Amino acid sequence: MAQTTSTAEHLRNALDGRWRDVKNLTRKQLHHEAFRPHYTPNTAIARAKVAEQMQIMATAGVSDEGFRKEHGGTGDVGAAITMIEMVAMSDLSLMVKAGVQWGLFGGAVENLGTERHAEYVKKTITLELLGCFAMTETGHGSDVQALETTATYDPETEEFIIDSPTPTARKDYIGGAAETATIAAVFAQLITHEDGKPINHGVHCVLVPIRDADGNDLPGVTTSDCHYKGGLPGVDNGRIIFDHVRVPRENLLNKFGEVAPDGTYSSPIDNPNRRFFTMIGTLIRGRVTVGGSAGAAARVALDIATRYALQRKQFSRPDGEEVVIMDYLVHQRRLLPLIARSYALQFAQNELVSKTHDLQTSDVVDSEEQRELEARAAGLKAANTWHASRAIQEAREACGGAGYMAENRLIALRADTDVFTTFEGDNHVLTQLVAKELLTAYADDIKSMSPVEWVRFAANTVSDRVMKRTAAEAIMQRIVDARQDSEEEGSLFNRGTQVNMFEEREEYLVSSVARRLQAKSKEMSAFDAFNAVQDHVLHAAQAHIDRVVLEAFVAGIESCEDREARELLDLVCDLYALSVIEEDKAWYIEHTYLSTERAKAVTRGINDRCRRLRPHAQTLVDGFGIPEPLRYAEMLHPENLPD
């Protein structure tokens, strides 16, 4: 038993990664009674609970992480992302509220503003100022460049006039807008005038006060409450309409665009498209946090479902003894591959957080590295949130009727994470962003291109693309060199063979979609050409994401210090790799990468790894490192059942 515990600790240390100490400290803080999971659909109670938790976090200094030292923070971006991810295990409403206050609103002010906005940052850290992030509109969410809200400069008064010119310009679903926020970071089309003619400089961010100290809407501002949603009852999502609201010129967050008192516009980035994407790129932390938090929620659900499967009995053996449901292969098949994917995604998330931290704390930002980071953040956000939806639903079903009881946490986790697939970027749109970067090989000038231009670019240049490995280049090459190109069933457990199958699928899909784009661009418009191959584009991007995740898993195994834990991780990695191959088995067979007999061997291989991992099921979920109070579920404590 002692060895099992030791192995679990080694697994947890490997899975915790670079910010292991931060995670361990947060685990201790989450033992506070205030963070004990609770369930209430009552929005008033849930919102009050989150407000209490936020204050505890601010008092404990959790909110300092991630903000620059000159603004009262510690400058540890990685720690800030990591702690929000850990908080997600307690209450996803709290995770979202903290993410809005310190990640989105605070991040916008610090990353898009200049020193004249420093006081806003300091007050945001301490909760003296409660903000919201007003980007999404009724008519536009994913297409941020097409937002309709306007910020028109009036040189006579040196003010911006913020207006919602159409019904679809209403700011929608904004966390904090219903009750708590007193100020909004409003994304709007910035308009100045030259010779009496309006000039639109594209989307910029302006700070707009929306409530007074008593909670009343300010003149020209109309807020409303979204009330009940599918989940997240502790988040006061609301709507905002602006009717010619005036704010001082200085409220423009002016790092990437400034308006002089006389109305002259200037920017360090001349190209409007490049400027927009540079601005949005600085706000990447929110997308990274959402993906990591979804992954954390999935691990909680799988932890609960696995522990239940290890004690719940159903049907009898011939000798009359009832069978623990985890002993059934079908139950192992339901949970263990999802546990394996959770491990894989967390290793990939660790690398993403590390890269985000390094780039956001560097004095010199490499544009190619920044674009690669944005694509990876988009891909992993999609992968993590889709995984969470699937894993939590499967965990709920695996617990039968007990899983449907609120006291067992799973329905709240399912409801709260549902929206994660569409906020901070719709997953299908984000996956296309990944493909865009792949098809243009991270070209320097892609940021200034319209979608039509990048389709033409991709069709003409992708043949020169060289696959860029994202983790442990030397390790990956050694593993690929050791692959076993044979029809023997055992070769499917060879890591080099697995990596090669992932790489070849990605290479084929990316090059073939480029060839299709090239052919179709000659017979139809660039837009129609892209639309005609959109399914192919998504498949190529998914193959890339799968490969990045597998590489991260390989690097994670190499970093594990304990031999037994590494051997266990090797089995888990096999299960992840073979599960991905099985899910896309049709493609591998269609393109002759798998014979029909070898395809059957993939299924047998998964069954083999499930059987071998069955004795280690509890060790694997222990390795998730979920604090004891956060994985509490009534069904795991039969002693609490009524007589």
Side-chain angles (χ1 to χ4, degrees):
M1 184 65 186
Q3 184 59 50
T4 301
T5 303
S6 174
T7 301
E9 288 174 352
H10 282 294
L11 290 175
R12 188 189 71 197
N13 287 337
L15 206 57
D16 280 354
R18 180 174 169 183
W19 279 273
R20 179 189 307 171
D21 293 342
V22 171
K23 288 193 174 183
N24 284 330
L25 175 62
T26 310
R27 286 186 178 104
K28 292 178 181 177
Q29 293 171 330
L30 289 172
H31 274 74
H32 192 294
E33 183 62 28
F35 296 104
R36 187 180 181 86
H38 64 97
Y39 177 79
T40 172
N42 184 304
T43 57
I45 296 173
R47 291 175 183 182
K49 180 74 172 175
V50 166
E52 174 196 1
Q53 293 170 324
M54 289 276 287
Q55 197 60 61
I56 292 171
M57 290 174 68
T59 302
V62 172
S63 56
D64 299 352
E65 306 287 0
F67 289 101
R68 291 196 283 271
K69 293 179 180 178
E70 60 265 31
H71 296 154
T74 65
D76 195 337
V77 172
I81 298 171
T82 297
M83 283 192 287
I84 297 296
E85 175 190 310
M86 295 294 289
V87 164
M89 296 184 190
S90 166
D91 185 350
L92 286 152
S93 285
L94 173 60
M95 171 261 146
V96 171
K97 280 287 283 187
V100 168
Q101 172 72 11
W102 295 311
L104 293 177
F105 176 77
V109 178
E110 185 168 77
N111 292 307
L112 300 180
T114 55
E115 280 312 299
R116 76 186 188 201
H117 305 107
E119 282 305 307
Y120 288 101
V121 179
K122 294 173 183 177
K123 291 178 180 179
T124 298
I125 293 173
T126 61
L127 297 181
E128 184 180 348
L129 184 69
L130 297 176
C132 63
F133 187 79
M135 178 181 279
T136 300
E137 296 178 357
T138 305
H140 291 89
S142 296
D143 188 3
V144 178
Q145 277 184 291
L147 294 178
E148 296 176 81
T149 302
T150 56
T152 306
Y153 185 67
D154 180 356
E156 292 188 7
T157 60
E158 296 187 15
E159 293 174 317
F160 283 101
I161 304 168
I162 313 302
D163 190 51
S164 307
T166 67
T168 52
R170 179 185 67 181
K171 295 296 181 180
D172 235 341
Y173 326 125
I174 310 301
E179 289 183 359
T180 54
T182 58
I183 189 168
V186 178
F187 286 79
Q189 304 289 346
L190 192 154
I191 298 170
T192 61
H193 286 81
E194 189 174 308
D195 298 328
K197 296 178 181 178
I199 302 175
N200 189 337
H201 301 281
V203 172
H204 288 63
C205 189
V206 184
L207 297 178
V208 184
I210 59 173
R211 283 191 180 87
D212 62 22
D214 297 322
N216 301 310
D217 288 350
L218 291 171
V221 177
T222 302
T223 65
S224 56
D225 198 324
C226 291
H227 294 294
Y228 286 101
K229 308 179 293 294
L232 301 173
V235 184
D236 56 319
N237 293 89
R239 301 180 171 101
I240 315 173
I241 297 173
F242 301 101
D243 184 6
H244 297 86
V245 177
R246 288 178 173 267
V247 298
R249 180 182 68 88
E250 291 78 14
N251 282 30
L252 173 67
L253 298 180
N254 61 326
K255 183 174 182 178
F256 297 105
E258 174 67 293
V259 175
D262 67 357
T264 303
Y265 177 84
S266 61
S267 171
I269 305 174
D270 292 334
N271 185 288
N273 273 339
R274 188 185 293 271
R275 180 167 62 238
F276 170 78
F277 284 110
T278 301
M279 289 170 57
I280 296 299
T282 65
L283 305 176
I284 194 173
R285 196 188 308 176
R287 192 166 284 166
V288 176
T289 303
V290 165
S293 297
R299 293 194 297 278
V300 172
L302 290 168
D303 179 289
I304 292 171
T306 299
R307 293 177 195 282
Y308 185 70
L310 292 170
Q311 69 180 41
R312 171 73 164 170
K313 295 179 180 179
Q314 218 41 238
F315 304 109
S316 300
R317 300 179 190 274
D319 61 9
E321 183 181 349
E322 280 196 297
V323 181
V324 173
I325 58 176
M326 198 57 160
D327 285 344
Y328 292 110
L329 176 62
V330 68
H331 213 79
Q332 297 164 20
R333 265 281 198 156
R334 296 176 74 178
L335 296 179
L336 291 175
L338 293 171
I339 290 172
R341 192 176 292 258
S342 279
Y343 268 84
L345 286 168
Q346 187 55 35
F347 281 124
Q349 179 72 11
N350 289 346
E351 290 197 356
L352 176 63
V353 172
S354 189
K355 195 171 185 67
T356 303
H357 173 89
D358 291 344
L359 281 182
Q360 294 207 335
T361 56
S362 173
D363 294 331
V364 180
V365 178
D366 181 282
S367 59
E368 181 177 325
E369 290 289 318
Q370 178 67 27
R371 282 193 302 277
E372 196 272 335
L373 172 66
E374 290 169 22
R376 201 189 309 185
L380 286 179
K381 185 268 180 182
N384 263 310
T385 55
W386 269 327
H387 168 65
S389 290
R390 175 183 169 192
I392 296 170
Q393 177 65 22
E394 194 64 58
R396 205 295 297 159
E397 292 182 27
C399 295
Y404 201 59
M405 301 297 291
E407 64 192 13
N408 294 322
R409 293 209 65 196
L410 296 172
I411 60 163
L413 288 169
R414 187 181 64 177
D416 290 345
T417 55
D418 190 10
V419 74
F420 281 42
T421 58
T422 50
F423 81 5
E424 277 295 324
D426 175 90
N427 282 358
H428 287 90
V429 175
L430 294 182
T431 306
Q432 290 176 70
L433 189 154
V434 175
K436 173 182 174 180
E437 299 299 327
L438 289 173
L439 289 165
T440 52
Y442 311 117
D444 282 339
D445 53 354
I446 190 62
K447 285 298 183 194
S448 62
M449 290 183 184
S450 69
V452 170
E453 289 172 324
W454 80 254
V455 166
R456 292 181 184 135
F457 179 92
N460 291 326
T461 64
V462 78
S463 59
D464 298 327
R465 177 178 178 268
V466 177
M467 178 176 287
K468 181 178 180 182
R469 292 201 174 108
T470 56
E473 171 69 34
I475 296 169
M476 297 307 302
Q477 193 58 53
R478 187 185 77 229
I479 285 173
V480 171
D481 289 344
R483 71 181 184 273
Q484 296 173 0
D485 295 324
S486 74
E487 283 290 309
E488 292 181 15
E489 193 161 319
S491 69
L492 288 169
F493 298 134
N494 176 271
R495 190 75 67 234
T497 300
Q498 294 165 0
V499 170
N500 193 55
M501 289 179 73
F502 277 51
E503 289 187 349
E504 289 193 349
R505 178 178 62 142
E506 178 188 339
E507 273 297 326
Y508 186 96
L509 284 166
V510 173
S511 59
S512 59
V513 78
R515 286 193 298 272
R516 287 185 65 195
L517 275 172
Q518 193 169 36
K520 289 185 178 298
S521 292
K522 295 175 182 177
E523 60 190 52
M524 59 182 72
S525 72
F527 174 83
D528 288 337
F530 176 74
N531 208 32
V533 301
Q534 211 163 12
D535 57 334
H536 196 157
V537 165
L538 291 172
H539 197 175
Q542 185 59 57
H544 171 74
I545 296 164
D546 289 339
R547 193 258 300 176
V548 167
V549 172
L550 179 59
E551 288 184 359
F553 204 150
V554 170
I557 295 172
E558 289 282 331
S559 70
C560 185
E561 299 169 355
D562 178 72
R563 180 180 59 81
E564 288 193 24
R566 271 200 310 275
E567 290 174 355
L568 199 52
L569 285 173
D570 269 324
L571 294 175
V572 176
C573 191
D574 280 344
L575 184 53
Y576 166 70
L578 293 176
S579 296
V580 172
I581 292 169
E582 185 182 55
E583 287 173 359
D584 211 7
K585 191 189 290 186
W587 184 89
Y588 279 106
I589 294 173
E590 286 171 3
H591 294 81
T592 67
Y593 284 94
L594 280 179
S595 64
T596 52
E597 185 54 41
R598 194 162 162 78
K600 295 174 185 175
V602 171
T603 299
R604 291 193 294 270
I606 291 173
N607 290 345
D608 173 82
R609 286 320 189 229
C610 283
R611 282 190 290 266
R612 291 186 62 179
L613 287 169
R614 159 61 186 94
H616 307 284
Q618 181 164 331
T619 301
L620 290 175
V621 294
D622 282 346
F624 287 158
I626 298 162
E628 183 71 34
L630 304 191
R631 54 170 149 85
Y632 183 87
E634 287 289 336
M635 65 185 176
L636 299 181
H637 300 272
E639 68 274 11
N640 294 340
L641 293 174
D643 295 333

